[in-house]
Structures are given as structure tokens and as C-alpha cells.
Amino acid sequence: MQQILDGIQSGASSDDFAHLTIPESYRAVHVLKSEQDMWAGVASKDKDPRKSLHVGEVSTPELAPDEVYVAVMASSINFNTVWTSIFEPISTFGALARLGRESTWAARHDLPYHVVGSDASGVVLRVGSAVRNWKPGDRVTVHCNHVDDQDPSAHDDSMLAANQRIWGYETNFGGLADLAVVKANALMPKPAHLTWEEAAVNALCNSTSYRMIVSSNGANMKQGDVVLVWGATGGIGAYATQYVLNGGGIPVCVVSSPDKAAILRKMGVEHIIDRAAADYHFFDENGVHDETEWRRLGKDIRGLCGEDPDIVFEHPGRSTFGASMYVVKRGGTVVTCAATSGFMMEFDNRFFWMRLKRLIGSHFANYKEAWEANRLISKGMIHPVLSQVFPLEQTGEAAYQVHHNVHEGKIGVLALAPSEGLGVTDHELRATVADQLTWFRR
Ligand code: NDP
């Protein structure tokens, strides 16, 4: 690995990279199939990723013709790594087994360990024989849509592909490692003005928010739309807020502390609700929805911007979903991609049908959407929301912080990068967005 790192840092040529020896094993963050029942009977909040995420050597798999090896400089924590580490809602080994049954190449994924991680920035080391657009030495970021392009269902919107998966969550060989195995159709150019760790945190959350807010597959926001953003300084919320601001929308941002509200003010957000201070109780003590609290939220939103939201960016799930469906404007859209607080959701259908509202389910992004979202990062129009950086050895601690919601924005993880601050090649563009790059930094 040292040879690879030396090559990256000395700006070696494509030919030099192509001749580097690929190591037979590499350092990777993984969970073990033998431990998938370790949390039986333990409450979710007490399941500790520091105990289930291991860092150790794993064997390098053979490269399929449509894949590349990426030397990973940095990666990030996504909530899906938390889900994997607490084996909720189900163990990811079932997904690896199902993938393993699809083809000879896919069988490599079905292992007694799962290398996790759905983001990466780094350098292409080797390309498979069918790869045409990328070469060794290319600096890349990786998006996490894993699709089989021989499947006809993948050729309209690839997120509708029958066997669409999330790389590093429903596949093996993910990004929280020194080396990753990536399909060539998941590569994107690394934004030149960003460090490795800044470049590594965007693809999953940024692309997800792009699809939800901007894309015609999502809410397709127009200028002037009022958008209620839950978790507005969290991983996806922080990008969603930027898309609303950039696109001429009016964000109404919900967070749970004055510190998070202060970040939003730096970003230029005017309308902020501190849900902890407001102390909403959308359910009564018997777990029954309390419509008066939905009304109170609606009144608070009107008090801030004078209108009901055209769009609600929904992901907390059970705890907020009924309220989101209630407060969205007549004819408005709730777009949802998650259910952090619980999957079984309820809402009052009368306010849905009689007010002609729409509900859109959304999941990650297709290649085109991810590419457009990456392009906006590369142009300095959307910014990474990196708050902290951990070494790979401390991935468990980083995941623990996300699990317990004591982080802001995104947490980066250094893999091969020996320190923070490396990898910038466009210093001129960087200087123009220097302030924005500090919004979330602790
Ligand atoms: P984060 O933990 O970074 O942010 C989530 C935010 O949601 C928190 O900052 C918190 O903000 C808010 N939140 C948490 N619980 C509640 C609650 N009960 N009520 C109201 N707000 C709450 O996670 P991400 O943003 O990275 O991901 C959010 C969810 O989206 C996860 O479940 C994740 O798995 C999912 N996801 C789905 C994707 C997809 O493609 N389908 C892609 C990416 C993420 P605060 O406390 O400040 O209010």
C-alpha cells in the first residue's frame, strides 16, 4: 500500500499506476456474519457500532471486467453503515447471499464478512477489460448505485432496476477500506478544489438530496417553493437545504439545538425551527397521534414564512410523518427516502385526499442524477458538509456518533490519506469557496 500511496502523492503516470502490484489483502472495516445475532434482546440505542465494526485485513477479490480497483484515500460514515453495524432492520448478510446467487462474479460478495462503506474518494489503480472511460491514475469519487446494466429494467431510471443495490451496504467490498472494488459505472471525477476527505463525504447524501428536491423523479422544486427540511444539518438535510437555497426556494429548516441553528444561519437560512425548544409531541402518552400538535407545527411554519410548505423533505419517519403529511400545502408534495425513527408510519388520509397531496418515495439517485449533483460540487455551487474527520481505525466511534445524533453534517474517514488537507489541485476555485467549506467544521 505504501507504494500505491507514494505513487498518488508523487503524481505518478497512468502507466506507472498500471504497473503497481495490487496487494493480496487490504485493511477494511467489516462486520462478521458470526456476530449477526450479537444484539439479540438489546435496545437499538444500546447497540454499539464500536463493538461490531472491526478493522482488519481481508483478501483482495479478483476484478470483474466491468470493475475497477480504487485506492481509497478517504470515505465517510453514512447512516447505512450504522444500520449494518447494529444489524437492523435486518442483517446485511442476507443481501450478500442473494447477490451471490446472481452470477459467478457476484458470488465473490457472499463472504462471512461484509466490508462496508458507501462513499469513497481515491485513485483508480486497475481497470477491468470492459472498462472504457476510466484509466489507472484517474482521481475519482464513487457513487453507490450498484446496477447490472444487462438488465432491461435498468435502462429507464436505473433506480428502478430489478436488481439495484447500494454499494457497500447491499454489496461487499465497500469504501471504508484502503481498497475498494467498484463498477466503472459508479465512478465520477473528483472535485479538484476539495481535499480527499471533503471529496469523500458527498456522493451518497448529495445525490440523494438532489433526486429528492431537484429531479423530476423527486419533488422537482421550482423557484419560490416553500420547503420544510427535517434534520436540516444532518447528512442529507444539509445538502437539501443547499438545493432549496440555490434553486430559489424558501427553506424552513428543522433542527434540535441552537448550535445547529447557528450553522443554518451561516448558510443563509432565515426560517429555522428548533424542535427541541418547540417540544412537539406528535403522539400522546398512549402513542396516538395528536392533531393539535400537527396544527401547532403548521402554525409555527406559517408564523415564519406566511405559507404552508409546497414540499416536505421527509426522512425521520414514524415520529414526524403524520405531521409532514398534515402540514404540506394543498396539492403539495411529501418526498421521503427513509424512516430513521421507525418504519411503520400513519397519517390521516382525509387531509391527504381532500387536499390532493402527493407522496413520493425516493431512493439514492441514478447515474445521471449523481453525476449532475457531483458536477455542482465540482463547480463550487454545492459544498461538502464535513464536520469531523476520523482515522479508519476509529470508524466505530464515528458511526457511534451518527447513531446517537451527536454529529452535524457528515463525518469523514481517512483511509490511505496520511493526513487531512491533501488532494487539492484547483487552489483558485478553493479560495473562492473558502468560507463555505468551514460551515460545518468543528
Ligand atoms: P443524520 O443522522 O446525519 O441526520 C438525520 C437528522 O434527522 C438528524 O440530524 C436529526 O436532526 C434528524 N432527526 C433524527 N431523528 C429525528 C426525529 N425523531 N424527529 C425529527 N428529526 C429527527 O442522517 P442522514 O441525514 O445521513 O440520513 C437520514 C436518514 O436517511 C437515515 O435513516 C438514512 O439511512 C436515510 N438515507 C436514505 C437514503 C436513501 O437513498 N434512501 C440515502 C441517505 C440517507 P435534528 O436532531 O437536528 O433535528
Side-chain angles (χ1 to χ4, degrees), residues 200-264:
V201 300
N202 306 303
L204 188 146
C205 286
N206 181 41
S207 312
T208 301
S209 299
Y210 178 92
R211 181 175 173 113
M212 289 175 76
I213 298 284
V214 181
S215 171
S216 55
N217 289 315
N220 207 0
M221 189 198 81
K222 65 180 191 318
Q223 293 181 35
D225 278 352
V226 173
V227 185
L228 180 71
V229 182
W230 290 103
T233 60
I236 51 175
Y239 293 101
T241 299
Q242 294 186 64
Y243 282 114
V244 179
L245 288 167
N246 272 12
I250 302 165
V252 179
C253 289
V254 186
V255 286
S256 62
S257 74
D259 287 350
K260 290 180 176 181
I263 294 174
L264 291 172

Side-chain angles (χ1 to χ4, degrees), residues 142-224:
V142 179
H143 77 73
C144 64
N145 187 12
H146 182 278
V147 261
D148 175 358
D149 55 18
Q150 293 179 33
D151 182 341
S153 65
H155 285 270
D156 178 8
D157 170 8
S158 61
M159 287 307 297
L160 293 175
N163 54 5
Q164 184 280 330
R165 291 182 167 86
I166 298 295
W167 167 70
Y169 176 61
E170 295 162 303
T171 80
N172 222 318
F173 319 129
L176 282 160
D178 290 340
L179 191 103
V181 176
V182 179
K183 277 185 182 278
N185 63 13
L187 296 176
M188 307 188 292
K190 174 193 169 287
H193 67 297
L194 299 182
T195 63
W196 293 112
E197 61 277 10
E198 289 164 349
V201 300
N202 306 303
L204 188 146
C205 286
N206 181 41
S207 312
T208 301
S209 299
Y210 178 92
R211 181 175 173 113
M212 289 175 76
I213 298 284
V214 181
S215 171
S216 55
N217 289 315
N220 207 0
M221 189 198 81
K222 65 180 191 318
Q223 293 181 35

Side-chain angles (χ1 to χ4, degrees), residues 90-172:
I90 47 171
S91 159
T92 44
F93 285 98
L96 300 186
R98 278 190 296 282
L99 171 58
R101 288 194 287 273
E102 280 190 0
S103 69
T104 314
W105 287 112
R108 292 167 304 163
H109 292 260
D110 186 11
L111 292 165
Y113 57 84
H114 183 186
V115 176
V116 295
S118 301
D119 268 321
S121 67
V123 176
V124 174
L125 288 180
R126 272 292 189 286
V127 301
S129 56
V131 174
R132 4 177 229 108
N133 291 336
W134 304 93
K135 60 182 187 317
D138 284 346
R139 293 170 160 230
V140 294
T141 58
V142 179
H143 77 73
C144 64
N145 187 12
H146 182 278
V147 261
D148 175 358
D149 55 18
Q150 293 179 33
D151 182 341
S153 65
H155 285 270
D156 178 8
D157 170 8
S158 61
M159 287 307 297
L160 293 175
N163 54 5
Q164 184 280 330
R165 291 182 167 86
I166 298 295
W167 167 70
Y169 176 61
E170 295 162 303
T171 80
N172 222 318

Side-chain angles (χ1 to χ4, degrees), residues 232-233 253-270 272-274 408 438-441:
T233 60
C253 289
V254 186
V255 286
S256 62
S257 74
D259 287 350
K260 290 180 176 181
I263 294 174
L264 291 172
R265 278 191 284 275
K266 276 194 266 179
M267 294 171 76
V269 175
E270 199 181 327
I272 301 169
I273 294 175
D274 181 336
E408 298 90 28
T438 63
W439 279 339
F440 281 75
R441 287 311 294 251

Side-chain angles (χ1 to χ4, degrees), residues 77-80 83 144 159 166 204-205 208-209 212 230-238 254-257 260 273 275-276 282 313-320 336-341 343 362-365 401-403 405 407-410:
I77 304 296
N78 284 296
F79 215 96
N80 66 7
W83 295 125
C144 64
M159 287 307 297
I166 298 295
L204 188 146
C205 286
T208 301
S209 299
M212 289 175 76
W230 290 103
T233 60
I236 51 175
V254 186
V255 286
S256 62
S257 74
K260 290 180 176 181
I273 294 175
R275 68 180 171 99
F282 297 134
F313 182 84
E314 167 62 43
H315 53 92
R318 182 165 177 75
S319 61
T320 56
T336 178
C337 74
T340 315
S341 65
F343 299 98
S362 191
H363 189 38
F364 187 59
Q401 294 206 9
V402 174
H403 184 26
N405 193 21
H407 69 299
E408 298 90 28
K410 294 285 303 175

Side-chain angles (χ1 to χ4, degrees), residues 22-24 26 58-64 67 69 105 108 111 113 173 179 181:
I22 303 296
E24 286 177 5
Y26 63 101
V58 298
S59 298
T60 306
E62 203 183 332
L63 199 63
E67 292 175 342
Y69 288 129
W105 287 112
R108 292 167 304 163
L111 292 165
Y113 57 84
F173 319 129
L179 191 103
V181 176

